Amino acid sequence: MGDVLDDVTDDGIDARHVLRRVDDWEARVRDLYAIVREWLPGGWTARDGAPVRMHEELMREFGVPARSIPTLLLGSDAGRSAMLEPRGLWIIGTNGRVDMKSGGRHYLLVDVSGNFEAPQWEAARLERRLDRVALTENWLAQALS
């Protein structure tokens, strides 16, 4: 099980490893979006939003090209909305972070798994970022209400 500290301190890291991590991150984000779409409460819809450019320090250091990762836009029949936006892969203490903004609230969705392991998404309000709970269908419904 590797983590971000392994990536930034390992003398053996190379462009191939960084590219594998970026590919894995993009797949985990897309899988997260699929789960969110499945869990949306009645009256909510989802669509891909404008992509964000990913070109983190390790990518630049090893010549890995920038990558466009989509955002996810959520909307309700009642006129409410939310957006999920990938913020970063190499974040200390996590295996990547996606921000969710909904109704003036800001949430962090973080994967606490190790490198190349099955994702374990947790969620918290930005202002209480250490009070994370498992990302579940019920959590999502509450965050969108």
Side-chain angles (χ1 to χ4, degrees):
M1 170 183 145
D3 63 21
V4 68
L5 287 175
D6 292 334
D7 281 354
V8 299
T9 60
D10 184 355
D11 290 335
I13 192 170
D14 60 12
R16 197 176 100 223
H17 175 80
V18 172
L19 183 58
R20 279 187 61 225
R21 294 273 286 128
V22 171
D23 289 344
D24 177 67
W25 173 237
E26 183 175 11
R28 285 184 291 121
V29 168
R30 290 183 184 279
D31 290 348
L32 172 65
Y33 291 174
I35 290 167
V36 167
R37 288 176 197 269
E38 184 179 309
W39 286 350
L40 282 176
W44 282 85
T45 58
R47 64 182 173 84
D48 283 348
V52 293
R53 184 174 185 261
M54 177 187 182
H55 202 211
E56 296 188 36
E57 184 176 341
L58 280 176
M59 295 170 72
R60 291 188 302 271
E61 182 178 335
F62 288 97
V64 174
R67 178 86 53 103
S68 291
I69 310 278
T71 58
L72 185 68
L73 303 177
L74 309 177
S76 78
D77 295 343
R80 294 188 308 259
S81 64
M83 181 175 87
L84 281 77
E85 177 182 359
R87 295 296 295 198
L89 169 56
W90 285 281
I91 296 177
I92 301 297
T94 75
N95 192 11
R97 172 179 145 186
V98 174
D99 286 12
M100 183 174 111
K101 295 179 182 173
S102 173
R105 296 179 307 264
H106 190 161
Y107 300 95
L108 306 179
L109 309 179
V110 296
D111 181 1
V112 297
S113 69
N115 293 355
F116 306 112
E117 292 181 355
Q120 297 175 25
W121 291 100
E122 293 185 351
R125 294 273 307 250
L126 175 66
E127 64 272 11
R128 300 187 62 167
R129 68 183 68 220
L130 298 179
D131 294 335
R132 297 189 311 236
V133 297
L135 177 62
T136 64
E137 186 172 357
N138 287 337
W139 182 91
L140 180 64
Q142 289 178 346
L144 294 175
S145 64

